[in-house]
Amino acid sequence: ETFGTRNGLLSPKIYSLAQTTDRQLWIGSELGVSVFDGYSFQNYQYSSGNETIGRILSITQDSSAGVWIGGDKGLFFFYHDSISRIEIQNKSPLAIESLLTDAAGNLWIGELHALYKISREQIEHIKENILLPLSAEPYCGLKERAYGLAMDRLHNVYMASHGGIY
């Protein structure tokens, strides 16, 4: 079966997919994010601050059921039925290309110029203070474009870049 805009999908150009623990399918498109519950689509194009969220390249769920959304316009967080833009301290808007939640509950963020690791504790702090900027430094000083992130069965995290796999 094929789903498209006639079925309620926000856009036919799809860049990312993720299924959350509540069995909903999150779909990142060129215009924002759609959530499919098996019957219908709920579409999101704007953050709670009325900013467009743009093209979505990656989606992941954290250990406490928050959904992280990354794309051309930066990092967003879906929590309590609202999408909030997450500012990263001392950084211009980042194009987030890959997201991963590891077994320890850390959030890995791959963007155009670096890889970031956000601890589970920082994630909880963000949930309590959604408007405060996130403090983050490139992980291990690694300043490579992070096209993709993956984790193996031993919980090692891998990053795909133009320079190879780290």
Side-chain angles (χ1 to χ4, degrees):
E1 189 170 349
T2 303
F3 293 98
T5 54
R6 288 182 181 182
N7 305 96
L9 188 62
L10 191 58
S11 170
K13 291 186 181 178
I14 308 303
Y15 294 94
S16 59
L17 296 170
Q19 187 175 30
T20 51
T21 54
D22 60 2
R23 301 181 53 94
Q24 294 192 59
L25 181 64
W26 288 70
I27 304 151
S29 74
E30 70 176 344
L31 298 175
V33 67
S34 298
V35 183
F36 185 61
D37 63 7
Y39 302 101
S40 63
F41 293 93
Q42 175 87 26
N43 297 311
Y44 300 92
Q45 289 183 277
Y46 301 95
S47 71
S48 57
N50 207 28
E51 305 162 286
T52 60
I53 61 174
R55 183 172 68 143
I56 303 303
L57 302 171
S58 188
I59 303 166
T60 192
Q61 184 177 32
D62 66 29
S63 57
S64 57
V67 177
W68 295 85
I69 303 163
D72 290 342
K73 301 226 174 166
L75 182 64
F76 297 88
F77 182 60
F78 184 86
Y79 193 62
H80 294 308
D81 296 323
S82 177
I83 294 179
S84 299
R85 188 173 197 292
I86 303 299
E87 296 289 333
I88 298 182
Q89 197 170 29
N90 302 323
K91 298 282 179 191
S92 59
L94 306 172
I96 307 299
E97 294 192 316
S98 52
L99 294 168
L100 175 78
T101 304
D102 67 19
N106 301 307
L107 175 67
W108 294 81
I109 303 169
E111 56 102 9
L112 286 174
H113 305 291
L115 175 67
Y116 299 92
K117 178 183 173 185
I118 308 303
S119 71
R120 184 179 186 154
E121 293 77 24
Q122 285 178 290
I123 291 170
E124 292 305 317
H125 184 71
I126 289 168
K127 289 177 182 177
E128 295 168 11
N129 305 292
I130 202 81
L131 298 177
L132 294 179
L134 174 64
S135 177
E137 293 297 324
Y139 184 72
C140 293
L142 187 61
K143 293 186 178 181
E144 292 274 343
R145 188 172 185 173
Y147 290 109
L149 296 167
M151 185 172 52
D152 66 16
R153 62 181 175 82
L154 299 175
H155 307 295
N156 296 306
V157 175
Y158 298 87
M159 181 185 91
S161 183
H162 54 64
I165 297 174
Y166 295 88

